[in-house]
Amino acid sequence: MFKGNLIENKSYYKLRSKQLLFILLPSIAIGFLVNFDKMPLWITIGAIVFYVVVVIMTFKNHKAMQKVANKKIEIDQNKIVIKEANGTVIEIIEVENVNKLIVKDDYKMAQETLKDLQEEIKGNPEEHYLILESNKMQKRYDFVIESYYMAKQLKKLVQEWQNKNVLIEYTNE
């Protein structure tokens, strides 16, 4: 079974890119503070203020990310379940009732390598999604993969669906 956070709004990816920058920015202030005894007092005070502001912005951005990705998605070989954060079931989709599943070629952890970080900062984030097509209508479910174990679980599910002759289309977007 795969479990992840459901992303309800594409702004999540921009917020995640900002979060990456907010995590990297304090190192500038820390670099100044390490040598505070050799720096003028105004630079030390400025570095402290800068650090505090960045920490506050990081917490605000993190809360905004939680608001956009606060529902859960659970996928097993027979159904896809969408839940509220408290566990209340919102929607159940039977895989056998889906005409086609569109999946990515490869699911991996976001921001895993330096190249991934670079792409994220450029505005090309790693997106994880599953598109369900029924009666020529498509519905996309974006989600967060939080561990290598969950990435493997998702790959196993896709393989099981193929073995059950579910029509699967791969995309590399």
Side-chain angles (χ1 to χ4, degrees):
M1 173 179 274
F2 170 82
K3 294 180 181 183
N5 290 332
L6 186 67
I7 300 170
E8 297 182 275
N9 189 330
K10 290 269 194 179
S11 67
Y12 172 84
Y13 296 112
K14 288 181 183 171
L15 291 169
R16 190 173 70 189
S17 295
K18 266 203 236 176
Q19 189 75 4
L20 177 62
L21 287 174
F22 287 145
I23 289 170
L24 295 175
L25 284 177
S27 62
I28 296 169
I30 291 169
F32 282 120
L33 292 175
V34 168
N35 297 319
F36 74 94
D37 60 333
K38 298 175 186 163
M39 296 286 179
L41 182 61
W42 64 272
I43 290 179
T44 304
I45 292 171
I48 291 169
V49 169
F50 177 74
Y51 180 79
V52 169
V53 167
V54 168
V55 168
I56 291 169
M57 295 299 291
T58 302
F59 285 126
K60 285 184 177 181
N61 193 61
H62 185 70
K63 285 189 180 222
M65 284 175 59
Q66 286 179 331
K67 286 180 183 176
V68 175
N70 66 345
K71 292 185 180 167
K72 304 288 182 194
I73 185 168
E74 295 180 0
I75 306 171
D76 66 26
Q77 61 187 10
N78 300 317
K79 64 184 177 287
I80 299 168
V81 180
I82 309 298
K83 294 182 176 182
E84 292 284 352
N86 65 8
T88 307
V89 175
I90 300 171
E91 182 179 10
I92 297 176
I93 302 150
E94 297 292 332
V95 174
E96 64 187 27
N97 297 336
V98 175
N99 296 352
K100 177 170 62 171
L101 289 165
I102 302 172
V103 298
K104 288 183 64 171
D105 285 336
D106 188 30
Y107 290 101
K108 62 181 186 173
M109 297 288 293
Q111 301 177 352
E112 182 178 30
T113 64
L114 285 176
K115 185 179 179 189
D116 294 342
L117 292 174
Q118 194 175 33
E119 289 298 313
E120 186 90 27
I121 291 171
K122 286 181 184 176
N124 303 320
E126 180 72 31
E127 296 181 4
H128 301 112
Y129 56 85
L130 183 67
I131 301 173
L132 308 177
E133 187 175 296
S134 295
N135 302 325
K136 299 192 181 192
M137 298 278 294
Q138 288 187 346
K139 186 157 184 185
R140 178 175 164 146
Y141 294 94
D142 284 66
F143 50 85
V144 179
I145 296 177
E146 295 179 339
S147 67
Y148 293 108
Y149 176 75
M150 283 300 149
K152 283 193 178 241
Q153 290 298 104
L154 188 57
K155 288 176 186 176
K156 285 180 185 177
L157 282 170
V158 171
Q159 187 62 44
E160 287 177 20
W161 290 333
Q162 275 186 321
N163 293 342
K164 290 172 79 174
N165 294 325
V166 174
L167 181 59
I168 295 181
E169 181 181 314
Y170 289 94
T171 181
N172 59 0
E173 292 180 11

